[in-house]
Amino acid sequence: MKCGGGEATPVAKMMLRLTLNGRAREDAVADNVLLIDYLREVVGLTGTKMGCDGGECGACTVLIDDEPRLSCITMAHRAAGHRIETIEGAARDGRLSRLQRAFHEYLGSQCGYCTPGMIMAAEGLLRRAPAPSTAEIRDGLSANICRCTGYTKIIEAVHAAAAAGDTP
């Protein structure tokens, strides 16, 4: 008999069908897999970061049907049938998105750990409010924590991206 006794309970799997960064996918995943684990371990997209592991820091933010969501507290099966966007899908044809460029130009990226989540949260905000006020940006990024410094450069970057409009 093994220490701890008993046999492992088999985990049920489901077929997860979704659109990830513009491409249809279909993967068999266990029912108890978190969306961040699906993205990082099944798909191999490691741009989405695990920060606090509890929905407190926003580092794991992705877009689900254009809305920012915390992938560390979202079960993968809840993404079935939806459009999921990660930081890997932000650039197009090898060119940085307007937000990625603005974060680079305005020094919005500090250590870079929170940056993917910040950019995805900001992208969701700009889709809802193309020309947000500073208060709207602060509110839109309120679920994302940057532990390196303040938010001034990040807010400047979002303003710059908004001013650039939809240019790729």
Side-chain angles (χ1 to χ4, degrees), residues 1-166:
M1 180 176 211
K2 295 178 182 176
C3 183
E7 295 179 23
T9 304
V11 177
K13 288 193 170 189
M14 64 166 289
M15 190 57 68
L16 177 61
R17 294 177 182 91
L18 51 77
T19 301
L20 179 59
N21 294 330
R23 294 186 178 166
R25 284 197 62 98
E26 186 174 302
D27 297 289
V29 296
D31 286 349
N32 61 353
V33 170
L34 291 169
L35 182 56
I36 191 168
D37 294 331
Y38 166 74
L39 294 170
R40 293 179 61 86
E41 296 170 16
V42 175
V43 183
L45 297 179
T46 58
T48 303
K49 304 298 185 215
M50 175 68 85
C52 65
D53 194 18
E56 301 284 329
C57 74
C60 66
T61 302
V62 298
L63 297 182
I64 299 179
D65 296 334
D66 298 322
E67 292 295 321
R69 296 284 183 251
L70 301 172
S71 64
C72 78
I73 58 171
T74 301
M75 301 305 293
H77 67 83
R78 304 268 323 212
H82 294 279
R83 286 181 299 108
I84 312 304
E85 295 173 70
T86 68
I87 193 67
E88 288 90 347
R92 298 277 187 242
D93 300 322
R95 298 180 64 197
L96 297 178
S97 73
R98 62 183 169 153
L99 272 165
Q100 290 172 311
R101 278 194 320 274
F103 268 67
H104 174 70
E105 292 168 3
Y106 287 83
L107 305 175
S109 303
Q110 300 301 315
C111 78
Y113 201 81
C114 71
T115 303
M118 287 280 187
I119 288 175
M120 298 313 292
E123 181 63 35
L125 170 66
L126 292 179
R127 289 181 188 180
R128 292 187 312 276
S133 67
T134 298
E136 289 171 317
I137 294 170
R138 287 184 184 282
D139 186 57
L141 299 179
S142 62
N144 296 72
I145 296 172
C146 173
R147 293 180 173 95
C148 293
T149 182
Y151 297 87
T152 302
K153 298 294 184 187
I154 293 168
I155 291 167
E156 289 174 2
V158 176
H159 275 301
D166 287 335

